[in-house]
Amino acid sequence: MAAFPTVQDLAAAKTDAVMALWKGLGYYSRARNLHKTAQIIAEERAGQLPQNAADWATLPGIGPYTAAAISSICFDEAVPVVDGNVQRVVSRLFDIEDAVDRKKGKAAVETACLALIDARDPGKSNQAWMELGALVCAPRSPRCSECPVAEGCLARQRGTVSDRPVKQPKKAPQAVDVVFAVHLQTGAEGAQQWWVERRPESGIWSQLEAFPCTMDMRPKGAEKAPDTASESPERFGPVAHILTHRKMTAWFEVVASPAPPCDGGRWVDVKEGTANWPRLIDKVLPALRDWIGKK
DNA sequence: AACACGGGGCC
DNA sequence: GGCCCAGTGTT
């Protein structure tokens, strides 16, 4: 607000300036979308803000939650603001058995919310329900004795508070075997170097650098690495690494074949050289250097 | 519907 | 130190 007090200021700002202020907050696409939205409002809408939730939701970065929050708080529109807190409060109040992150359960929460909005001040009402979830109707150890609506809470009457909200069971991360090919050479100055390639634009580790690698999904249910992939004098590993949806097991194999010359690849000093590594590689680098040194 | 984004809170 | 959280956009 200090740097860009008006929509016009934000619209006129350089992307770098916006990103610099956002630094450290995460979710950088939000800053880009905010900037884009300011430009749309300033340049295509003559500086006029949308006046209702449906119109707000057409702008980049504004989804149902933000559209409802802005419209109810700023324009007194009686639309429910459904965030994680409200999902919890409402699913307990009405003891909703459907998963709140599925269509049916979402709709049930939304419908119940409509009955909860105080039309005298929709913005305050929405903020109150969110705050109730944040401070009283906590995920664990909710303070039911301090809750102003405990009397009418169905989950409390039925003893299902700790079972609400129901969420769709998330599927187990898939097991993946990764074999990195470590090509080595002795550089012009006599330093040992390894071959590093830029990752593709999309998919895992995009924008980063890594050793060339193959990735094999393990058959469903297979937890242990197949014997053929297990430890051998030729490869360093196994290295376990967990991502949001993948459970990786990695090996690093020094290969005899010459490094594949390609655009976006380069030789990096094993000792000093740095690259934009994925965390998986970053964390094993010291041990990997050690292992190569002993070979 | 599944997944990525990136920090912070919590155990 | 690892696990989970939660809106939005993309696939």
Side-chain angles (χ1 to χ4, degrees):
Chain A
M1 291 306 293
F4 311 118
T6 69
V7 172
Q8 287 74 20
D9 294 326
L10 180 56
K14 291 208 164 76
T15 303
D16 287 348
V18 177
M19 299 313 289
L21 287 167
W22 198 267
K23 200 163 67 180
L25 296 179
Y27 282 116
Y28 295 94
S29 64
R30 288 178 173 178
R32 276 187 285 274
N33 282 332
L34 192 60
H35 193 204
K36 219 178 301 167
T37 283
Q39 291 174 334
I40 291 171
I41 290 172
E43 294 161 17
E44 297 173 20
R45 291 173 175 246
Q48 298 299 300
L49 299 177
Q51 302 288 305
N52 59 64
D55 198 10
W56 270 108
T58 66
L59 294 168
I62 313 287
Y65 165 79
T66 309
I70 295 171
S71 305
S72 68
I73 295 170
C74 303
F75 305 116
D76 294 324
E77 188 177 347
V79 282
V81 173
V82 185
D83 71 347
N85 293 310
V86 172
Q87 282 185 342
R88 188 168 54 252
V89 171
V90 170
S91 65
R92 285 173 175 170
L93 261 183
F94 296 88
D95 197 35
I96 293 170
E97 296 179 44
D98 294 302
V100 297
D101 49 0
R102 302 289 292 266
K103 237 181 169 174
K104 194 175 168 198
K106 223 186 260 280
V109 170
E110 191 104 354
T111 303
C113 278
L114 287 172
L116 297 179
I117 297 184
D118 187 330
R120 291 171 299 177
D121 194 338
K124 276 250 168 62
S125 171
N126 279 327
Q127 292 181 75
W129 288 112
M130 287 191 279
E131 202 69 353
L132 184 66
L135 300 182
V136 177
C137 195
R140 274 163 301 202
S141 341
R143 308 161 181 267
C144 297
S145 63
E146 300 169 33
C147 179
V149 291
E151 296 243 320
C153 181
L154 271 186
R156 184 152 189 258
Q157 291 166 23
R158 297 175 183 170
T160 57
V161 170
S162 60
D163 302 326
R164 304 286 178 265
V166 173
K167 294 208 175 166
Q168 143 157 343
K170 46 194 113 192
K171 67 172 195 181
Q174 176 156 27
V176 182
D177 290 315
V178 191
V179 178
F180 290 100
V182 183
H183 300 272
L184 293 172
Q185 76 162 20
T186 303
E189 255 105 87
Q192 194 174 34
Q193 301 176 317
W194 47 32
W195 178 254
V196 169
E197 288 179 5
R198 194 165 344 119
R199 295 286 307 172
E201 292 282 324
S202 64
I204 190 166
W205 301 326
S206 64
Q207 325 293 343
L208 304 181
E209 293 177 300
F211 304 117
C213 73
T214 60
M215 247 180 253
D216 281 320
M217 304 288 179
R218 268 194 231 147
K220 255 203 162 95
E223 263 305 322
K224 280 195 62 182
D227 285 345
T228 52
S230 58
E231 306 101 287
S232 86
E234 312 305 324
R235 31 170 65 164
F236 176 82
V239 176
H241 186 71
I242 308 273
L243 291 86
T244 313
H245 298 97
R246 280 185 254 269
K247 195 172 174 178
M248 305 188 107
T249 308
W251 286 268
F252 296 80
E253 190 164 348
V254 173
V255 290
S257 59
C262 74
D263 290 348
R266 63 195 183 99
W267 291 101
V268 171
D269 285 0
V270 169
K271 266 200 179 134
E272 279 94 18
T274 59
N276 196 10
W277 305 106
R279 206 167 62 82
L280 161 61
I281 297 184
D282 216 21
K283 75 180 180 186
V284 301
L285 273 187
L288 183 60
R289 288 196 179 102
D290 211 44
W291 180 76
I292 287 176
K294 284 183 185 147
K295 268 176 67 77

